[in-house]
Amino acid sequence: MGEVIGVTGKMASGKNYVCSQFEAQGWSCIDADCLVHDAINLCVEKIIAEFDIPARKMGLRILKDDGTVDRRALGRLLFSDPSLLARQEAIVYPVITQMIREFIQNHPKSVINATVMYKTPEILGLCSKIYYVNAPFLTRLRRARHRDNLPYAQILRRFYAQRNLLEEYRKTGKEIQIINNYS
């Protein structure tokens, strides 16, 4: 296995930009947030079995007519209750971990772009260093609204869920380099 680093930070802080800079220097990057989508698609039956009833209680429909998961509806559900989010993570994180391990085996200089990598100790343990991307609240809010076109209430719930993110990474004992992204 080659060298592995992690890039993390709160929603809309600029992690993708930082990863693009690593790629320009010859690193290969994998975005764990994108892998969540793949893992959800691979685990549709488990997701529906676990979350259909709580979703219906909130007036949400998480299964689209084409048989795929409505990720926006699922996100609204999961970010409304930390225990639901933890149940979803227990389903998809093992799948994501396997995908990342396979990626690392095939790329000697790997960057893992993941907001909550601290929740996957196996993957975090592979990283020699963590780069934490930080950006001002209003900048992040503007970026998230423009990029994801989500309602402000949903963005703010996600922001709130990530309020102690840096502290969680500090608990891991990994070396952390903070990158302040003001632009």
Side-chain angles (χ1 to χ4, degrees):
M1 183 177 73
E3 190 173 358
V4 180
I5 59 173
V7 172
T8 192
K10 295 177 181 175
M11 179 182 184
S13 61
K15 297 179 297 293
N16 291 338
Y17 175 76
V18 170
C19 286
S20 74
Q21 299 306 298
F22 278 107
E23 286 177 323
Q25 297 175 28
W27 290 76
S28 298
C29 297
I30 188 165
D31 188 334
D33 291 340
C34 291
L35 294 181
V36 170
H37 302 164
D38 294 340
I40 288 171
N41 290 336
L42 291 170
C43 301
V44 170
E45 291 178 15
K46 289 180 182 178
I47 297 287
I48 298 304
E50 190 72 23
F51 301 111
D52 189 50
I53 292 171
R56 289 182 188 274
K57 287 180 182 176
M58 281 186 63
L60 299 171
R61 187 169 174 242
I62 59 171
L63 186 63
K64 294 181 182 179
D65 291 336
D66 65 3
T68 61
V69 173
D70 182 335
R71 292 193 319 262
R72 284 190 183 223
L74 181 63
R76 264 194 308 250
L77 174 69
L78 299 177
F79 285 99
S80 72
D81 181 342
S83 68
L84 294 175
L85 182 59
R87 286 167 40 194
Q88 186 253 9
E89 290 169 348
I91 294 169
V92 299
Y93 280 5
V95 175
I96 294 166
T97 298
Q98 183 58 37
M99 292 174 175
I100 291 173
R101 280 188 144 318
E102 290 170 7
F103 179 85
I104 290 169
Q105 289 174 356
N106 294 312
H107 298 89
K109 290 172 59 176
S110 299
V111 177
I112 303 168
N113 177 352
T115 302
V116 292
M117 192 179 343
Y118 71 89
K119 291 185 177 185
T120 54
E122 182 180 346
I123 297 302
L124 185 64
L126 300 173
C127 297
S128 60
K129 189 174 195 177
I130 301 295
Y131 289 87
Y132 183 90
V133 185
N134 196 25
F137 176 84
L138 291 177
T139 301
R140 293 176 40 241
L141 185 63
R142 187 184 76 251
R143 286 179 189 159
R145 177 70 175 165
H146 176 76
R147 181 190 70 194
D148 301 331
N149 198 29
L150 296 172
Y152 284 113
Q154 189 172 355
I155 294 168
L156 292 173
R157 279 193 300 273
R158 290 185 183 185
F159 280 15
Y160 183 76
Q162 297 173 355
R163 68 192 176 283
N164 298 319
L165 190 63
L166 181 56
E167 290 78 19
E168 293 297 332
Y169 280 98
R170 286 188 170 135
K171 290 178 190 176
T172 69
K174 288 284 182 182
E175 179 183 350
I176 300 171
Q177 175 72 44
I178 295 177
I179 299 171
N180 289 309
N181 181 9
Y182 295 111
S183 59

